[in-house]
Amino acid sequence: MKPLTLASALCLLSLGGHAVLGGQARPTEPGDPLPNLTPREFTEFRLGLDDFTEVETAEEGLGPAFNGTSCAVCHNVPAIGGSGIILETRAGYRNPDGSFRALNEAGDTLVHLFSVPTHGCQPSIPSDVTVIARRAPIPLFGAGLVEAIPDDALLEREDAFDRDRDGVSGRAAIVTDLATGGRRVGRFGWKSQHATLLAFGADAYRNEMGITNDMFQQESVFAVPAEQLRHCDPFPDPEDVRDRSTGRRGIDNFESFMRLLAPIARSHSDETTRDGERLFLAIGCGRCHVPALITGPSSNPLFNRRSVPLFSDLLLHDIGTGDGILQAAAQPEEIRTPALWGLRLRRPLLHDGSAATIADAIDRHANEAGLARQGYQRLTDADRQRLLAFLGSL
């Protein structure tokens, strides 16, 4: 996101999320905040952006093992808060009976890419693992709207036993939200492992940067003895503490940034893309990639009964692209339906970045998505191009 001057910030607020260029209003761009923020919300968004882009050091708690030195290292395409090209690595074991076993009794599967000097706590993948998976960063645009979708709206779409016999059996991920201690429907992460942005950000702060916090107070470095870990990381936990002037933690600022980050709107809509959307729904893609969900009632007009055109049901499915990792409520082969808004600005595709194009990603769909893929393959060349044009407009 381009830095905003005070004048441009005031324009953004007063024009409902439209910046002024040469006297003309323009729609929000990737990395912009939601339209119609109050001055207080805009301040919280900017504080969150500052923390999101801040480069951490070992003295501030980075490490001892980590994947990035800031949130923005991984979330930067096409703007801060987007996806990225750094892939996370996870590993584990597939038992003879087909069940999954993590790297240790604590359930760790994450293997960090980097470590702080002198690298005495650099983890490595055990030589006997039988499952190795990669995961790409998920774009965060519109995350606050996703958080505001009620659990009941997702549970209503659940069809774990495929009662309607259409081959699709989406399942809600019921998880314990560490922010509240309550049982909630997960929606963030490739495995829907978190229900709230506060917990999602806190998890990433510890897992991706090695900075412990109130919700994740133990370092995540498997196979490192406690004495060695103390030598690598002499700083007391939790490392993310409240700022004396603002009373806010880093995880609070991350939450504000993600909650107030605007979604990416479609680039255009014309007869071709509208025909493509009709084909998308006709062949069954909309069964999982639900065009829109609705937020619940809220005292904040930003989130009160808003349509969220994310093209996802936020449920877990097995479409043949699972990563083999058991995590939270998700089975090894289950993946949360990725939202398609902003698809035109995202490459590579799929959870592991293994698809170079939209067509490649569609061709990888199987199992629950098998009928939809067959419908796509049976389209005429002209209709297939209309469908791809629609997806390319998202």
Side-chain angles (χ1 to χ4, degrees):
M1 177 177 172
K2 299 179 180 66
L4 293 177
T5 65
L6 177 60
S8 62
L10 292 174
C11 286
L12 186 66
L13 288 170
S14 63
L15 291 174
H18 287 68
V20 173
L21 295 176
Q24 298 294 320
R26 65 163 175 80
T28 54
E29 295 184 351
D32 281 348
L34 287 167
N36 300 317
L37 297 189
T38 65
R40 179 174 180 175
E41 288 169 333
F42 187 75
T43 297
E44 290 180 355
F45 176 81
R46 293 298 300 184
L47 283 172
L49 176 60
D50 288 345
D51 256 11
F52 202 86
T53 56
E54 180 184 0
V55 175
E56 308 283 359
T57 66
E59 290 72 26
E60 294 168 318
L62 179 71
F66 61 94
N67 286 329
T69 55
S70 77
C71 303
V73 165
C74 293
H75 293 279
N76 56 51
V77 178
I80 302 302
S83 59
I85 60 173
I86 295 178
L87 301 183
E88 177 189 84
T89 301
R90 290 184 179 265
Y93 302 88
R94 183 173 290 109
N95 296 319
D97 64 357
S99 61
F100 177 80
R101 178 165 53 92
L103 296 171
N104 55 19
E105 292 183 358
D108 290 326
T109 60
L110 182 63
V111 183
H112 294 95
L113 299 174
F114 310 109
S115 60
V116 298
T118 57
H119 308 293
C121 289
Q122 172 66 54
S124 60
I125 300 177
S127 60
D128 61 340
V129 300
T130 54
V131 177
I132 295 178
R134 313 288 185 186
R135 289 189 195 168
I138 297 176
L140 303 171
F141 304 122
L145 292 166
V146 173
E147 184 179 47
I149 296 168
D151 286 7
D152 288 347
L154 305 183
L155 290 169
E156 288 173 0
R157 293 191 170 276
E158 186 179 39
D159 185 18
F161 301 102
D162 190 19
R163 292 185 179 90
D164 53 10
R165 305 293 183 182
D166 65 352
V168 180
S169 53
R171 197 167 65 83
I174 308 300
V175 300
T176 298
D177 174 35
L178 295 182
T180 63
R183 298 288 281 173
R184 293 284 312 279
V185 177
R187 63 199 66 197
F188 297 112
W190 283 109
K191 296 284 187 173
S192 283
Q193 60 265 33
H194 291 295
T196 59
L197 288 170
L198 184 60
F200 179 67
D203 179 295
Y205 211 18
R206 192 277 304 268
N207 279 336
E208 307 302 339
M209 284 180 276
I211 296 181
T212 55
N213 51 75
D214 289 340
M215 277 182 274
F216 294 89
Q217 299 189 16
Q218 303 295 321
E219 298 286 358
S220 176
V221 183
F222 74 93
V224 176
E227 183 177 347
Q228 183 178 349
L229 183 59
R230 283 193 296 270
H231 178 74
C232 297
D233 179 38
F235 305 102
D237 298 314
E239 293 152 336
D240 177 31
V241 296
R242 294 187 184 277
D243 183 273
R244 291 182 179 179
S245 61
T246 66
R248 295 171 63 88
R249 303 162 295 184
I251 58 175
D252 298 318
N253 291 332
F254 298 151
E255 178 193 29
S256 292
F257 174 69
M258 293 186 289
R259 183 170 58 89
L260 299 172
L261 194 60
I264 294 179
R266 294 193 197 187
S267 63
H268 64 284
S269 177
D270 55 23
E271 184 177 352
T272 297
T273 59
R274 289 190 290 272
D275 286 345
E277 183 171 5
R278 284 191 284 270
L279 291 165
F280 178 87
L281 297 174
I283 65 175
C285 300
R287 183 66 176 82
C288 297
H289 292 285
V290 177
L293 298 173
I294 307 296
T295 66
S298 173
S299 59
N300 188 332
L302 293 175
F303 306 108
N304 183 39
R305 303 184 188 278
R306 297 282 301 278
S307 177
V308 188
L310 74 168
F311 285 90
S312 172
D313 59 6
L314 299 175
L315 300 179
L316 297 170
H317 294 274
D318 176 0
I319 65 162
T321 62
D323 63 3
I325 301 291
L326 179 72
Q327 186 176 6
Q331 294 299 310
E333 299 310 317
E334 289 181 318
I335 290 287
R336 188 208 70 175
T337 304
L340 298 183
W341 56 1
L343 180 63
R344 70 183 185 278
L345 303 176
R346 196 186 317 162
R347 294 293 185 279
L349 302 174
L350 298 182
H351 75 273
D352 57 357
S354 60
T357 67
I358 295 174
D360 290 341
I362 295 173
D363 288 337
R364 289 278 303 280
H365 283 52
N367 300 346
E368 291 183 49
L371 288 177
R373 187 202 67 231
Q374 291 174 22
Y376 167 78
Q377 293 171 337
R378 292 185 182 122
L379 294 175
T380 65
D381 288 344
D383 280 347
R384 194 177 300 124
Q385 290 307 309
R386 290 186 182 95
L387 191 151
L388 291 175
F390 155 66
L391 293 173
S393 74
L394 295 179

